[in-house]
Amino acid sequence: MLGRVKDDARWDAASEGAELLAEGKREAAIEVLDQVLLADDQNEYASFFLGNAFFEAEEYPRALKAYVRALELSPRYLGALIGCGHAARLMGKLDQALRCGQQAMTISEEDADAHYLLGATYFTRGESQLAIRHLTAFVSSNPEIEVRIEALGMLEVLRSEV
């Protein structure tokens, strides 16, 4: 039970930063999350949301570092694993991105975000059949419209429909 209380306290500590990020107040979120991590450098949630803030700012190396820290603290943190994979992908570290996606699939075979990560990475690598498989699974999950359109665009290219 003590572990659960500690997790709840860590979640509560990171929630203000997460809310600021959701409100589009990225810089304020970074400040709050940095303070949370100064007080407790073991807070995987603060590391994860800090990664999200840096990702949104297109500061992919900093995002990757924050996601990796969250994974060091909680190796099965699916959101951090997916974030790590996308940051690596956008930095051109495609092998690392694939490892993240494959590891995510071992945690949750049907995770839509893992399928998108793998599909986008295979697309970038030019591995059409694998990209189609994962992007199709992603689109079947009925994702948000913006990212659904991106996935459908990749599928059109892969299927030579454009």
Side-chain angles (χ1 to χ4, degrees):
M1 183 66 182
L2 182 60
R4 184 77 227 144
V5 171
K6 193 178 280 189
D7 282 353
D8 288 346
R10 287 187 173 140
W11 176 259
D12 289 344
S15 65
E16 180 185 353
E19 289 173 22
L20 288 166
L21 190 57
E23 293 169 3
K25 300 174 182 173
R26 186 176 55 242
E27 293 305 317
I30 290 170
E31 287 178 30
V32 166
L33 294 165
D34 278 339
Q35 290 303 310
V36 170
L37 289 167
L38 281 174
D40 176 10
D41 68 351
Q42 302 296 301
N43 190 318
E44 70 270 26
Y45 305 112
S47 292
F48 169 71
F49 288 114
L50 187 60
N52 286 353
F54 288 136
F55 190 90
E56 285 185 14
E58 298 180 6
E59 295 182 38
Y60 303 121
R62 293 177 79 186
L64 183 60
K65 183 178 177 183
Y67 290 135
V68 167
R69 179 63 182 148
L71 288 168
E72 289 170 351
L73 297 167
S74 182
R76 294 181 59 84
Y77 194 154
L78 192 57
L81 195 51
I82 300 295
C84 185
H86 281 298
R89 177 178 63 84
L90 292 169
M91 292 170 60
K93 298 179 178 190
L94 301 181
D95 289 341
Q96 184 178 355
L98 285 178
R99 282 193 303 276
C100 290
Q102 291 160 348
Q103 187 175 347
M105 294 295 284
T106 67
I107 295 170
S108 176
E109 263 182 44
E110 301 302 318
D111 187 79
D113 294 328
H115 279 295
Y116 182 75
L117 170 59
L118 287 168
T121 304
Y122 284 125
F123 177 84
T124 302
R125 286 174 54 128
E127 296 182 45
S128 299
Q129 293 308 309
L130 289 168
I132 289 170
R133 178 177 144 223
H134 289 288
L135 290 170
T136 300
F138 173 73
V139 169
S140 297
S141 73
N142 198 25
E144 292 180 14
I145 190 70
E146 181 179 295
V147 71
R148 179 184 176 89
I149 289 170
E150 289 176 14
L152 289 171
M154 285 186 270
L155 284 168
E156 286 180 14
V157 169
L158 291 166
R159 293 175 177 150
S160 301
E161 294 175 1
V162 246

